Amino acid sequence: RGSGRGRRAATDNRAIAAEILQLRHERARLLGYADFASYKLEPEMARSAENVEALLTQVWAAAKTRAEADAERLTAMLREDGVNGALEPWDWRFYAGRRRRAEHDLNDAEVKPYLTLDAMLGAVFDTAQRLFGIEMRAIDAPLWSPDARAWQVTRDGRHLAVFVGDYFARPGKRSGAWCSSLQQQHKIGQGQRPIVTNICNFTPPEAEGAPAYLSWDDAHTLFHEFGHALHHILSDVSWPSISGTSVARDFVELPSQLFEHWLEQPQVLDRHARHAETGAPLPAALRDRILAAGNADQGFATVEYLESALVDLAFHRGAPPADPMERQAEVLAELGAPAAIPMRHATPHFAHVFSGDGYSSGYYSYMWSEVMDADAFAAFMETGDAFDPETAARLERCILSKGDSRPADELWQEFRGRKPGVEALLKGRGLAAEPG
């Protein structure tokens, strides 16, 4: 099942994975825990493997139903091409791509002229101002690259932070996108306000003075990383070790993933997505196609992720498996995982789990955070206003300003008034059952 990556001769990782699981279990037992999952999850918002499993299985049922319906449609396309065999993983990606093009007729070349970096930064800063009243003023500062730019962040004339954006790829720069703090907020002595960075690897402009174009995914990344930055900028705690994003791993992605939702608001796109040459607004029909395409093939994407998350959890509950591959197969069989959807990260190359302890027994945290971000945004939409000032103030007071000063589940409860529910995520991913 899946590719042979990480399981060939000199690069066979299977025995190493078994040894790592054994050593983790031994460490947890020495520290007084029943198993590694109990040890690892105790300080997280989830608290226990049982809580993680309960949430993930709710999403799994809906995702599997959608994936099975999609499989029928893709199999029909396979038959139309004269292929009589079963739908295979490589068939799924090929026919899903063809289906996406047929149903959404969308390509980056059509979208990018409306998504310049400067326009999308304007959207990011305007959204933050409307929600939290912060102002961004460009400043001159000595930075590590001529591509990097700096802004002073203020509110009501009071200094909150310095924000640095380093957005373009260049030789020698680490790939990916992330948020870091060069200086943490704290109240020791005279106190200190943060210096926050967003680092991305967008394609630079073709010539000096020309606009830099973003893809739709790039625009999401821009909003995502600034969501992390807001967690630093609005931090208001006593100690640097608990400020900003220094929170539980299954809580840290809430502000970033939540902030992405505002990119998809028609009022934000209508105001800021303007054609680089003509200045014309993004056509409503194109905007609607972009938003509709976001849910394409979500059954597949959710199933392949949950397979990996549930296998990771099973590895670290109870006694460690002597043969991780056998345990992986057992878990997938118990789930009734579709044969045409392999794990996103099969065990021999599951770097999140085996390259260090960061996501061991914690790969679920992406979905956990997504459940919360969808539910948190639903709190805004329930008011009828995506920029509702009372909900924004409560979000800052209960979550964005608090860092790790209180347990994450208490902060969430104070903000939302109840535990996170999966309903908003299922609706947002297009996985909710159709009425009737």
Side-chain angles (χ1 to χ4, degrees):
R1 186 180 172 88
S3 73
R5 181 182 171 199
R7 55 195 297 180
R8 303 181 192 277
T11 58
D12 192 337
N13 292 326
R14 288 174 290 182
I16 298 172
E19 182 182 9
I20 289 172
L21 292 174
Q22 177 62 47
L23 291 171
R24 284 177 178 162
H25 183 71
E26 182 179 342
R27 180 182 5 149
R29 296 288 290 173
L30 288 169
L31 293 171
Y33 293 87
D35 52 32
F36 187 79
S38 300
Y39 157 71
K40 187 66 184 298
L41 293 173
E42 184 183 60
E44 304 295 334
M45 182 178 175
R47 301 292 189 189
S48 71
E50 290 75 21
N51 289 339
V52 172
E53 185 177 48
L55 182 137
L56 295 186
T57 52
Q58 289 183 71
V59 181
W60 170 263
K64 183 183 175 188
T65 298
R66 177 53 54 87
E68 289 171 342
D70 288 341
E72 291 181 8
R73 178 71 184 91
L74 299 182
T75 299
M77 296 172 69
L78 193 72
R79 298 289 180 265
E80 291 169 5
D81 281 351
V83 180
N84 293 320
L87 184 72
E88 299 288 352
W90 46 89
D91 296 320
W92 191 301
R93 293 190 181 278
F94 176 79
Y95 285 101
R98 180 186 288 183
R99 182 184 179 189
R100 182 193 297 261
R101 289 189 294 273
E103 294 182 358
H104 300 292
D105 187 27
L106 199 64
N107 62 72
D108 276 351
E110 186 178 11
V111 176
K112 280 186 174 182
Y114 296 94
L115 303 178
T116 65
L117 175 60
D118 284 346
M120 290 300 98
L121 280 174
V124 166
F125 296 163
D126 181 44
T127 298
Q129 193 278 327
R130 294 177 69 184
L131 288 170
F132 307 112
I134 65 175
E135 302 283 350
M136 310 290 294
R137 180 177 66 86
I139 58 174
D140 290 327
L143 301 172
W144 51 87
S145 168
D147 287 339
R149 303 155 67 180
W151 292 264
Q152 183 186 22
V153 189
T154 60
R155 179 161 59 188
D156 298 327
R158 181 171 62 91
H159 175 76
L160 287 181
V162 170
F163 173 72
V164 179
D166 181 358
Y167 294 115
F168 298 130
R170 58 180 177 270
K173 185 178 181 181
R174 180 185 134 193
S175 62
W178 65 96
C179 176
S180 297
S181 63
L182 304 179
Q183 180 171 288
Q184 292 279 92
Q185 177 271 328
H186 66 72
K187 296 181 180 179
I188 301 170
Q190 298 297 313
Q192 176 174 274
R193 295 307 304 172
I195 300 175
V196 190
T197 66
N198 277 177
I199 314 295
C200 301
N201 274 275
F202 302 144
T203 302
E206 294 182 356
E208 186 174 351
Y213 296 108
L214 305 184
S215 68
W216 183 243
D217 284 346
D218 290 339
H220 264 280
T221 297
L222 195 72
F223 270 74
H224 180 101
E225 298 306 335
F226 197 77
H228 281 309
L230 285 170
H231 209 170
H232 288 284
I233 291 167
L234 298 175
S235 181
D236 187 28
V237 299
S238 297
W239 307 102
S241 61
I242 59 171
S243 71
T245 59
S246 301
V247 298
R249 185 173 291 273
D250 58 6
F251 197 63
V252 73
E253 296 297 335
L254 167 59
S256 56
Q257 293 177 182
L258 172 59
F259 199 64
E260 289 183 58
H261 286 272
W262 277 276
L263 169 63
E264 300 187 352
Q265 292 307 295
Q267 59 184 295
V268 173
L269 290 172
D270 293 347
R271 177 182 295 189
H272 296 283
R274 301 274 170 165
H275 196 282
E277 295 180 1
T278 67
L282 180 72
L286 178 56
R287 179 199 68 207
D288 293 343
R289 281 161 49 207
I290 293 171
L291 298 178
N295 279 335
D297 216 24
Q298 277 297 325
F300 177 96
T302 308
V303 163
E304 68 161 4
Y305 164 80
L306 287 172
E307 288 173 343
S308 290
L310 287 163
V311 166
D312 165 46
L313 193 66
F315 279 163
H316 296 98
R317 296 177 76 179
D323 183 347
M325 299 303 295
E326 183 177 322
R327 183 67 181 123
Q328 171 184 303
E330 290 173 357
V331 173
L332 296 176
E334 291 165 3
L335 289 170
I341 307 181
M343 291 169 62
R344 181 174 297 178
H345 304 290
T347 296
H349 58 87
F350 204 166
H352 278 78
V353 170
F354 292 107
S355 65
D357 276 357
Y359 282 95
S360 56
S361 198
Y363 191 62
Y364 77 90
S365 59
Y366 290 101
M367 182 64 71
W368 187 276
S369 292
E370 190 172 348
V371 165
M372 287 191 296
D373 81 63
D375 201 0
F377 191 68
F380 283 88
M381 299 309 290
E382 287 163 8
T383 72
D385 180 6
F387 291 90
D388 178 62
E390 291 185 8
T391 308
R394 191 167 73 251
L395 177 66
E396 178 180 350
R397 183 178 69 252
C398 299
I399 293 176
L400 295 177
S401 66
K402 288 296 191 289
D404 199 30
S405 60
R406 288 172 52 199
D409 52 351
E410 290 183 13
L411 297 178
W412 172 268
Q413 187 77 22
E414 186 175 324
F415 169 69
R416 198 65 171 105
R418 56 167 172 75
K419 292 182 178 180
V422 303
E423 295 78 12
L425 176 137
L426 296 180
K427 182 179 179 181
R429 284 195 169 211
L431 301 176
E434 297 293 336

